[in-house]
Amino acid sequence: MALLEAIQGPRDLDKLSSEQLIELAAEIRAYLIPTVAKTSGHIGPNLGVVELTIALHRAFDSPKDTILWDVGHQSYVHKLLTGRRDFSALRHAGGMSGYPARAESEHDVIENSHASTALAYADGIAKAHQVRGVTDRQVVAVIGDGALTGGMAWEALNNIAAAKDRPVIIVVNDNERSYSPTIGGLADHLATLRTTQGYERFLEWGRGMLGRTPVIGTPLYEALHGVKKGLKDIVAPQGLFEDLGLKYVGPVDGHDIAGMEAALRRARHYHGPVIVHAITRKGEGYPAARNNVNDQLHQVAVDSDPETGQPLVPAGKSWTSVFSDEMVRIGAERDDVVGITAAMLHPVGLAKFAEAHPDRIFDVGIAEQHAVTSAAGMAFAGLHPVVAIYATFLNRAFDQVLMDCALHNAGVTFIADRAGVTGNDGASHNGVWDMSIFQVVPRLRIAAPRDGAQLRAQLREALDVDDAPTMIRFSKGAVCTDIPAVAKAGSMDVLRTTAGTELAPDVLLVSVGAMAGVALDVAERLADQGIGATVVDPRWVKPVDPAMLMLAAEHRLVVTVEDNVRVGGVGCVVAQILRDAGVHTPLRDFGVPAEFLDHANRGEVLEQIGLTGQRIAHEVVGLVAGLSNGLGSGPGANRADAAAANGAATNGTAEALANGSAPKVTTL
């Protein structure tokens, strides 16, 4: 690792010969493969951009020149070349982020890991340079062919191309994949450019042949060069980019450092918008990645075998796999159910459904907004689409869920995978916003299953709704052991009750989704302090079951526990419903603060923000102790207060609360 250890910053690359640069690329791969296998992280994408990144940092002067990485999961080589060599705690608490991070280096600009954004950033930076009269700095955006399928990327291209004198260099890292193979018309176009002989090679042949022809050779070559646009359309149909007003360089072998560097230096002299089309291979130099047909080892788990890229200790059954298996069963029963994914067929668990029903799966590329509205169209035409997207990415399609699905009563089911605290991928991947963002959508119903059995049941319940959109959100990682209900309250599951014990029903613990285990732990700790607690799982957190009012009125304190942001979350909604119904039982909501959370594993993040059984129980004990002896004069007063709301609670719940006739809990 002698060469790599000598790299303190990008300008150290200038000292290396061509042979040393090739050796450095080999050292980088030899370092990344075992290191990332130990810590977990994105290995395939980074191995594919080793030479490209070296060429970038030789051709441009970062951070004076701005280099933007779209998505950013391919920035590990960039980190190494900018002086960050300690990968021992990559993606772990206190260690290096798995994405660019401004706090780490002045060489990092974009630290959100949502795709298709870099071109818009580049456009804005270039415009700022122009307004301020800055002419000695370059703006370079590296975007994959997968991210280039996103609508936001094309909106940016439209603006970038509009200014012929505003320099923006777009490096298209074309490896034919995002997670899975890139699909769509753009992918077909890039494939055409990739597989033709190419204009540049044609011209090179012409230069060699005609240059040896006396008298007429050179003039004929110049004429040939003069009609290059027509030749390009025939030999390499790249008009898509040039018709937008973008110069085009390529295709270039992204693993040829000298060729890549030459193309980038050529691009920087155009003084206008230009695309450099680099052909790379995801997982280059690592047979385990190259031979992985699913995603070429896009990401490896903690403590994986460096030889194979596979976990040394098999992971438990995941939430995603439970969804995946149930979708296959449902697909066999219902021919109206179709699956939609935004370039993440395997990560969201639709690969098995696609294998069983290849004519009923639609991969729209990295285009979440299109996925949602297309699903609304399918619902109108008689299908029931299941749109599976990571919770953090589904946020991008809020308007389409609101206006295209909910407004039109579209029977579409959304799967918000990786909801809640996800941990190691950092701030932009935590799915902690969904229940707040989508809580305001009329007609939308949201389910939060607590275990695998509930996920299967609620998926089927959602698919039975054909006149409104539904959403099911679940966590990342291993699914917990099934937690049985001991009773029912309306449509809600009671997981623990004080019935049959000496404890009074002091606290109503409302557990949301995967936080059921934490809520039950809190109840156990409260019981040790002589405080009785009822634990209820609403199952469907939107709308709230009116039976919640009855239960709240029967307790001295309501506590909600969720791994969604507190602002606008389930706790806020329950508090609002209690106020509207005149139920004055105090409520304390526990959830995620409205902050960006640093990367760490899920357990560590939950500990940091106080979402553990011990921390919650400690605070609840204090709240119960602080309740005034005369507060509300007991549950009966709460029932009377609810009745005074004159029907604010639906389905006659207020009246039932007043006379005590509503069924409290039905024992299973």
Side-chain angles (χ1 to χ4, degrees), residues 320-399:
T320 304
S321 65
V322 173
F323 161 70
S324 176
D325 292 341
E326 193 63 17
M327 272 294 290
V328 173
R329 284 189 283 269
I330 291 170
E333 300 166 13
R334 292 181 50 170
D335 60 10
D336 64 322
V337 172
V338 298
I340 300 177
T341 175
M344 302 180 76
L345 186 69
H346 289 86
V348 298
L350 283 176
K352 288 183 179 179
F353 184 88
E355 184 178 348
H357 310 287
D359 57 335
R360 288 156 54 192
I361 190 74
F362 301 94
D363 186 342
V364 301
I366 300 178
E368 294 86 0
Q369 293 172 312
H370 169 70
V372 173
T373 303
S374 177
M378 293 181 190
F380 170 76
L383 298 177
H384 193 117
V386 176
V387 184
I389 298 175
Y390 283 8
T392 183
F393 300 146
L394 187 58
N395 297 346
R396 309 176 86 178
F398 168 78
D399 186 63

Side-chain angles (χ1 to χ4, degrees), residues 40-265:
S40 87
H42 296 90
I43 189 64
N46 286 284
L47 297 179
V49 298
V50 175
E51 291 84 3
L52 187 154
T53 309
I54 293 172
L56 272 170
H57 278 295
R58 279 177 59 89
F60 299 99
D61 185 15
S62 176
K64 179 182 176 182
D65 294 332
T66 302
I67 300 176
L68 305 164
W69 297 90
D70 200 281
V71 184
H73 58 231
Q74 75 281 46
S75 63
Y76 295 2
V77 184
H78 163 78
K79 292 185 182 228
L80 286 170
L81 299 182
T82 52
R84 288 168 278 178
R85 292 200 306 277
D86 184 6
F87 276 55
S88 61
L90 176 71
R91 303 175 74 247
H92 291 259
M96 195 183 301
S97 169
Y99 295 91
R102 290 178 175 181
E104 287 181 8
S105 172
E106 61 181 343
H107 296 276
D108 290 2
V109 179
I110 308 173
E111 54 184 78
N112 99 64
S113 50
H114 288 194
S116 311
T117 59
L119 300 189
Y121 274 104
D123 178 59
I125 294 169
K127 284 174 177 172
H129 287 344
Q130 189 175 57
V131 170
R132 297 178 62 229
V134 176
T135 59
D136 63 341
R137 299 187 178 191
Q138 299 286 337
V139 181
V140 186
V142 184
I143 183 168
D145 56 305
L148 204 56
T149 62
M152 188 174 171
W154 287 92
E155 293 172 18
L157 278 174
N158 184 53
N159 281 267
I160 290 169
K164 304 297 186 287
D165 60 343
R166 187 186 303 134
V168 175
I169 298 170
I170 301 166
V171 180
V172 176
N173 174 29
D174 179 7
N175 61 19
E176 306 179 59
R177 308 180 78 91
S178 43
Y179 281 83
S180 303
T182 308
I183 57 88
L186 173 66
D188 294 342
H189 180 81
L190 291 176
T192 301
L193 292 174
R194 195 185 305 121
T195 55
T196 55
Q197 288 297 310
Y199 164 72
E200 296 299 336
R201 272 183 277 174
F202 184 86
L203 261 187
E204 190 64 37
W205 170 84
R207 181 185 294 113
M209 291 295 293
L210 296 175
R212 293 193 294 271
T213 304
V215 185
I216 65 167
T218 300
L220 187 57
Y221 170 76
E222 294 299 330
L224 187 66
H225 196 276
V227 295
K228 61 181 182 180
K229 183 64 173 75
L231 280 172
K232 283 185 177 182
D233 286 341
I234 297 170
V235 181
Q238 54 211 37
L240 172 65
F241 298 119
E242 294 200 338
D243 287 347
L244 281 172
L246 299 164
K247 290 285 188 180
Y248 175 89
V249 176
V252 186
D253 181 355
H255 299 295
D256 175 359
I257 298 174
M260 194 71 235
E261 183 181 345
L264 292 169
R265 291 188 183 279

Side-chain angles (χ1 to χ4, degrees), residues 315-321 417-418 422 474-480 602:
K317 193 172 185 63
S318 69
W319 289 89
T320 304
S321 65
D417 196 343
R418 270 70 162 178
T422 56
F474 52 79
S475 294
K476 177 183 179 182
V479 66
C480 64
R602 176 179 165 88

